[in-house]
Amino acid sequence: MLCRGLPRQLSCARVLLCRQSTSTDGVIATGADKSQIVNENELRPLYMDFQATTPMDPRVLDAMLPYEVNYYGNPHSRTHAYGWESEKAVEKARGQVADLIGADPREVIFTSGATESNNISIKGIARFYKSKKKHVITTQTEHKCVLDSCRALEAEGFEVTYLPVHKNGLIDLKVLEDAFRPDTSLVSVMTVNNEIGVKQPVKDIGHICKSRNVFFHTDAAQAVGKIHLDVNDLKIDLMSISGHKIYGPKGVGAVFVRRRPRVRVEPLQSGGGQERGLRSGTVPTALVVGLGAACEIAKQEMESDHKRIKMLSERLVQKIMSEIPDVVMNGDPEQRYSGCINLSFAYVEGESLLMALKDVALSSGSACTSASLEPSYVLRAIGADEDLAHSSIRFGIGRFTTEEEVDYTVKKCVQHVRRLREMSPLWEMVQEGIDLKSIKWTQH
Amino acid sequence: MAASRVQVLSLYKAMLNASQKFPSYNYRTYAIRKVRDAFREKKHVKDPKTIEDLVDKARENLAIIQRQVGLF
């Protein structure tokens, strides 16, 4: 398999590595800076980390540019045309975001990103209803910003239940139902997990929350624009959206806050009362226009993107699994978003593999925690053994990933896993038939 | 007045040519793939009004590609 595929794959690698140099003929570099950037780009690793962030779609940038130069008015200026044109663009973008999630435009609040949206939702709800309700439910596998917001609430005297998850990364609805208390104000469960890609049963959670009159917030940063979501169908009260995960600009996001029945939120930020008073501060027109364009494109491309990403991810998993033994896929095999694949390579240390795969940009988990060598808390929460949690790698596939990139990644990955395993004493012991679990590593 | 076969084909060719000029490997391959897929998908459209709309949309996209390939 490897030998047969090798010449073709090697040539792919060459194409990828000199992809910049072959293509610059059509472009005339205008200054020293420009040619320098092009040269630097020549040997950049290929990108397989679409959960961390995505490149902007050229269509998005095209929509934004006029608002960075010509139409620079403050969208809140009501006294002149500069303000009106910006306001019109912002309202159009609000409509595009709302359209993607099946909401009313008036329910969309622009923020600086999903972290802020999560903070507004969780702290805002808890604080607004604090006189009667003091309990919040979330899960152990949430994103750091949700967990940290909950920690902050605990410090303020709220109680938080962190639901455990099954081995497949999904929560148990029975456990959720048992966790409810009369003073529960909010349930926050993410739609698609950023590390292992599992899709929580949002619809069921939404209906349970609705029947108990508890607000339901979902962090959909990794899900919006990639899978079909309708806030009314799923009974979602608050939803966080991020711009840069859907091929939009960084530094912008949105939060959906339901109007009927009304969800009330205490704002975090004081100021001029923009965005219905929930998020004061001048709305960045260009970024918001970019987010709107990204949402519209996501809606239009969802089906074809999904089909392609599924095909590429199956190709990647199947190729890796068929070539090397002892690879475990983390998270539920069915209930998942296919663009996020988390694999554990047994007997290989994840960080060494990442270092060896220099020419592929990968990550062992979320970007926020990628600086630490600790195994991911998400993998620990799904009960992955310590050694498997240490050997996991996340492959992110997106709109701009090509077959060649997938094949190159597989080739490099297989090659380095084999090499690292050959060096590993653990792997040697396993080959000799020793059960690693039976070994007592310490002397005392 | 619906666009003629020749007009559509020349638009297709212009879009492919423009897409070739993306300096970035990923944008380039995506644009080419997308243009091909989109034209193939709509190959059998007969309704003049729909064709007209699609041609307008394609012209807009061609302008986007032409603007974006020169940026970096």
Side-chain angles (χ1 to χ4, degrees), chain A residues 16 19-20 23 27 34 55-56 58-59 61-62 65 301 304 308 399-402 404-405, chain B residues 21-30 33-34 57 61 63-64 67-72:
Chain A
L16 291 171
R19 57 198 187 185
Q20 294 295 338
S23 58
V27 181
K34 204 155 189 176
M56 258 212 268
R59 289 166 286 190
L61 182 60
D62 195 71
L65 282 175
E301 305 285 348
S304 65
R308 188 174 159 82
R399 185 180 286 163
F400 302 108
T401 311
T402 64
E404 284 77 18
E405 287 179 308
Chain B
K21 296 193 184 118
F22 267 114
S24 146
Y25 164 80
N26 293 85
Y27 287 159
R28 183 169 68 242
T29 48
Y30 176 75
R33 188 171 73 233
K34 200 69 213 166
K57 184 110 191 99
N61 278 323
I64 292 180
R67 279 194 296 269
Q68 292 295 313
V69 291
L71 279 183
F72 39 98

Side-chain angles (χ1 to χ4, degrees), chain B residues 5-61:
Chain B
R5 189 183 154 77
V6 180
Q7 275 175 304
V8 172
L9 282 177
S10 81
L11 193 53
Y12 176 58
K13 219 168 158 191
M15 288 184 86
L16 280 183
N17 275 337
S19 304
Q20 287 286 359
K21 296 193 184 118
F22 267 114
S24 146
Y25 164 80
N26 293 85
Y27 287 159
R28 183 169 68 242
T29 48
Y30 176 75
I32 294 171
R33 188 171 73 233
K34 200 69 213 166
V35 170
R36 281 209 181 113
D37 289 353
F39 274 85
R40 278 191 195 148
E41 194 191 310
K42 309 288 184 196
K43 206 164 80 177
H44 303 290
V45 174
K46 289 275 182 288
D47 175 43
K49 179 82 186 72
T50 321
I51 294 179
E52 194 77 347
D53 290 347
L54 287 169
V55 165
D56 283 348
K57 184 110 191 99
R59 288 212 175 99
E60 270 169 44
N61 278 323

Side-chain angles (χ1 to χ4, degrees), chain A residues 407-418:
Chain A
D407 291 348
Y408 183 76
T409 307
V410 170
K411 193 195 98 187
K412 282 286 170 185
C413 201
V414 167
Q415 179 193 332
H416 286 293
V417 168
R418 285 201 180 129

